[in-house]
Structure formats: structure tokens, C-alpha cells
Amino acid sequence: MKKISSSEALHLIAPYVHVQLLSAPYVNFEDVGKIQAVLSPYGNVSVSLRDRGDGYAYLLVRVIHFLSCTEKLYEIRDRGRRKKMYDNLAWIDAIEAYDALFHD
């Protein structure tokens, strides 16, 4: 697979990154798939969704070099508002199945 430098990767996703005064750089929710498609040919780049603990979604772009790693974190916005990450609550089903296994 091809490799890319961090500056080239940031240059490729620059059209999708928006910057406003007094706010963090962000990408629109509709553009996350486009960013993934642009960076997918490169083997040293990973794109993933993250939650920093505040309940909101962030896009993490990680470019891996020989002995280092460059990470860039962007807010994800949907219709101008920060996108919330929702827990699918599948962990509750696992606990109930475990409980039913031993207490029936």
C-alpha cells in the first residue's frame, strides 16, 4: 500500500475541515465518509470516530510514521450542532443474559 506524510494527509482533507473564530476545527457529519474514502488508499493512515468523555463525536485522523504518530482531532457537527455519540446499550443485554444464566 502507498504511504503518505501527515502534511499531505492534512492537505487532502483540508476542503472538508471548517474553522470558525473561537471554536475548534470541525468537519460536517456528511463529509466523514468522503474523508475516509480520500485517505483509504494509504496504508499508514487510520480514520476513526472517538468520544473524549464529553459525549460528543470526534473524528480522529492518525498518520503513522516510522517511530512516531501524528494525530489530528476534529469535532463532528451535524446541521451546525455538535454530534452526540449514543450508546447502543448492548452491554445491558449481556449483563441480563449473564444474570439469567446463573439465577434461574
Side-chain angles (χ1 to χ4, degrees), residues 31-99:
D31 295 335
V32 172
K34 295 174 187 173
I35 292 171
Q36 175 68 34
V38 166
L39 296 176
S40 64
Y42 304 102
N44 64 331
V45 178
S46 67
V47 178
S48 60
L49 294 177
R50 291 284 187 249
D51 179 10
R52 290 190 349 188
D54 59 358
Y56 292 103
Y58 293 89
L59 182 73
L60 177 67
V61 178
R62 180 180 292 155
V63 181
I64 301 167
H65 304 292
F66 177 63
L67 292 174
S68 66
C69 177
T70 304
E71 294 181 346
K72 196 70 174 167
L73 195 66
Y74 300 103
E75 281 185 355
I76 297 178
R77 294 193 181 177
D78 191 19
R79 297 184 191 106
R81 294 187 171 182
R82 293 172 67 187
K83 183 86 173 146
K84 293 274 274 180
M85 287 194 73
Y86 295 102
D87 189 8
N88 65 0
L89 301 177
W91 58 273
I92 293 175
D93 294 334
I95 290 174
E96 288 175 350
Y98 179 78
D99 187 47

